[in-house]
Amino acid sequence: MESGLISVDRWTKGSQAYFLTHMHSDHTRGLSGVWSQGPLYCSRITASLFPSRFPNFDLSLLRVVPISSWTSLSLRSPSSGSAVSLHFMAIDAHHCPGSLMFLFRGDFGCFLYTGDFRWDADESDEAKNTLVAAINESPVDILYLDNTYCNPIYSFPSRQVAANLVADIITSHPSHDIIIAVDSLGKEDLLVHVSRILNIKIWVWPERLLTIHLLGFQDIFTTNTTCTRVRAVPRYSFSIQTLEGLNTMCPTIGIMPSGLPWMKRPFKRDDDKLFGSLLTATYETIPRAVHRFHDYMYTVHYSDHSCYEEIGEFIELVKPKSMKGIVVSSSCYVDPLYYFGRICGTSQPPQVLLMRPDPAEQLRAVRIKSYSASDKTLVLEKEKKRKRGDSHSSLMRIKKRARIQVKSAKISEVD
DNA sequence: GCGATCAGCT
DNA sequence: CACAGCTGATCGC
């Protein structure tokens, strides 16, 4: 597809329409309160998070998209100036609140960009039915796939099953305080489930409560530590050390919901020089859905990304002519064609199992996100790449204030 | 002081 | 390793 038309989760200059799959910061890098490159298409929930995430953002740029129905856009070819017609459909990605996949259709063909997604949908799920119907109309030429867990080692249960496991851990510790690690957006359904099963409120830090209220949750969450023993805390403040500290005050266990298999660090020998040698290190992978990682810490395989099996089912459903992974940051990046290329037909090139892309290669791969096909453009865009902005600075003062509030809340709960 | 970027950490 | 972040240092304005 010609460059200069649309970008998905990329915010550099040069596109006529910008698409945001969801409000996680690795997808909004480059967005800021002063960004104004063009119209930005996203879900209603994502749009509602803009004022708090990006103060001063020009909200008139936002275009809330309908779910599961087609929208037409009229763009201009940057090279010829002629009109280009493009249709897109947003589909629920079930990754975090407001997350979407985008299906694009035009003279260039048909692309499906999944963003991050979890395919633990059942047969009656609207996303699945929408996708099946749309693909029957016209097949997908290129699937841009969330390949985070595109490896058979990544096997874990549905979120519903995992949520029950979390509830089981809590009920089996009736007089413990519980802390659950979460990020700034996502896993609300897990917390709601725990709340319903245990008939208990969930403490969250004040800034998180603001987000939760914007998402439309009511009553279940509180910032008052005295009315619950279950607290959701930022993942970055969640560690064995934190738990050991809390246990000097009150018996407390931590629960880490994550799709990553919990790996222990390489065994440290007396000879420290051996540390870091991946060839000689011994790793222990934990395949169980629940693991008592430490006296005070459990890990549960609760994931907002699809497991290997679900990725396979998804590709089988979409049957794309070709596909590309959109996650390139991992050093164990797996080309989805390696495991699932057969679904795409026989004309695929030989595949790479594991590759560690060098930085230049990563840069190239990231360009996939803006559908830049021309090599000339790649070179130009490479230079522009330095101009990336970041949003977190514009929020720093506000966040600093919020942090102080979180800290005082922590202090008061310890005292 | 402010915003942007990067190294370091989990 | 690193799901999706946060923190602190540094640099230019």
Side-chain angles (χ1 to χ4, degrees):
Chain A
M1 179 175 166
E2 183 179 7
S3 69
L5 291 177
I6 61 170
S7 290
V8 184
D9 292 349
R10 284 192 57 83
W11 312 103
T12 46
K13 274 196 283 197
S15 288
Q16 295 165 55
Y18 292 82
F19 293 80
L20 174 58
T21 58
H22 64 288
M23 192 63 98
H24 275 157
S25 53
D26 53 333
H27 293 255
T28 59
R29 206 157 36 109
L31 268 182
S32 71
V34 297
W35 185 92
S36 60
Q37 302 297 340
L40 191 161
Y41 295 83
C42 65
S43 67
R44 181 167 300 286
I45 286 175
T46 298
S48 73
L49 298 173
F50 263 82
S52 54
R53 300 297 168 108
F54 303 109
N56 304 321
F57 189 90
D58 178 3
L59 299 177
S60 70
L61 294 169
L62 297 182
R63 306 281 184 273
V64 172
V65 303
I67 309 292
S68 298
S69 67
W70 288 101
T71 300
S72 296
L73 283 183
S74 291
L75 306 176
R76 290 265 155 209
S77 163
S79 52
S80 69
S82 58
V84 175
S85 176
L86 179 152
H87 309 272
F88 72 87
M89 181 192 281
I91 298 161
D92 191 341
H94 296 302
H95 170 66
C96 69
S99 65
L100 298 176
M101 309 184 198
F102 290 109
L103 185 58
F104 298 100
R105 191 190 279 170
D107 296 335
F108 48 82
C110 187
F111 295 161
L112 176 59
Y113 190 99
T114 66
D116 291 348
F117 80 108
R118 176 87 204 245
W119 202 242
D120 56 0
D122 63 31
E123 293 304 314
S124 62
D125 185 78
E126 186 193 357
K128 184 170 185 175
N129 295 329
T130 300
L131 202 53
V132 168
I135 284 160
N136 277 339
E137 278 177 58
S138 77
V140 171
D141 296 301
I142 304 181
L143 170 64
Y144 293 89
L145 177 75
D146 172 12
N147 57 318
T148 304
Y149 293 130
C150 190
N151 186 311
I153 66 168
Y154 295 124
S155 173
F156 40 74
S158 70
R159 283 175 292 196
Q160 198 186 334
V161 168
N164 280 320
L165 295 172
V166 170
D168 290 346
I169 293 170
I170 299 173
T171 51
S172 67
H173 294 77
S175 50
H176 278 72
D177 275 13
I178 311 288
I179 63 173
I180 302 174
V182 297
D183 288 311
S184 58
L185 176 66
K187 302 199 164 72
E188 289 78 10
D189 290 344
L190 168 63
L191 301 176
V192 168
H193 182 80
V194 165
S195 171
R196 291 213 176 111
I197 296 285
L198 293 139
N199 192 26
I200 197 170
K201 287 183 184 258
I202 311 285
W203 180 91
V204 292
W205 64 101
E207 196 184 4
R208 192 65 164 87
L209 187 67
L210 294 179
T211 300
I212 281 171
H213 282 163
L214 289 171
L215 299 176
F217 295 100
Q218 310 234 324
D219 304 332
I220 288 170
F221 297 93
T222 177
T223 54
N224 181 352
T225 53
T226 62
C227 62
T228 179
R229 66 186 181 96
V230 178
R231 309 194 295 278
V233 303
R235 191 168 50 178
Y236 62 86
S237 72
F238 182 95
S239 67
I240 301 283
Q241 253 188 344
T242 310
L243 283 162
E244 284 172 344
L246 289 169
N247 270 278
T248 66
M249 314 288 171
C250 171
T252 303
I253 59 161
I255 300 173
M256 167 67 86
S258 166
L260 274 185
W262 202 265
M263 289 188 188
K264 294 193 172 170
R265 296 204 164 274
F267 289 120
K268 262 190 183 174
R269 305 279 188 81
D270 290 341
D271 182 1
D272 250 2
K273 300 242 189 314
L274 282 176
F275 180 73
S277 165
L278 294 178
L279 290 173
T280 57
T282 308
Y283 284 86
E284 185 188 347
T285 62
I286 308 298
R288 286 159 290 169
V290 175
H291 174 59
R292 188 159 197 175
F293 181 71
H294 179 273
D295 279 352
Y296 301 144
M297 192 191 291
Y298 289 82
T299 66
V300 179
H301 276 181
Y302 184 102
S303 172
D304 286 328
H305 293 268
S306 300
C307 66
Y308 175 78
E309 193 185 351
E310 289 162 354
I311 292 173
E313 288 167 10
F314 183 80
I315 296 169
E316 199 75 59
L317 189 78
V318 175
K319 290 191 174 62
K321 290 177 188 157
S322 185
M323 59 185 160
K324 293 170 184 176
I326 61 179
V327 179
V328 296
S329 62
S330 166
S331 67
C332 58
Y333 169 86
V334 177
D335 188 332
L337 287 170
Y338 179 79
Y339 288 116
F340 299 117
R342 62 188 160 72
I343 299 170
C344 300
T346 53
S347 61
Q348 295 304 317
Q351 309 321 331
V352 183
L353 169 57
L354 294 171
M355 63 179 199
R356 178 186 285 274
D358 62 57
E361 198 153 0
Q362 286 195 26
L363 196 66
R364 222 164 14 248
V366 166
R367 295 303 311 162
I368 291 168
K369 288 190 172 184
S370 63
Y371 300 135
S372 299
S374 125
D375 281 345
K376 262 185 248 171
T377 317
L378 285 181
V379 176
L380 290 174
E381 297 273 359
K382 219 170 187 173
E383 290 164 20
K384 288 181 192 166
K385 192 168 157 58
R386 306 193 174 280
K387 289 199 66 180
R388 270 189 342 207
D390 200 321
S391 61
H392 86 277
S393 305
S394 62
L395 274 170
M396 269 187 5
R397 261 184 312 159
I398 294 168
K399 289 199 169 169
K400 195 165 272 178
R401 219 172 300 140
R403 257 196 318 275
I404 291 162
Q405 286 168 8
V406 173
K407 276 178 186 157
S408 35
K410 277 180 184 161
I411 289 163
S412 64
E413 88 199 28
V414 166
D415 286 344

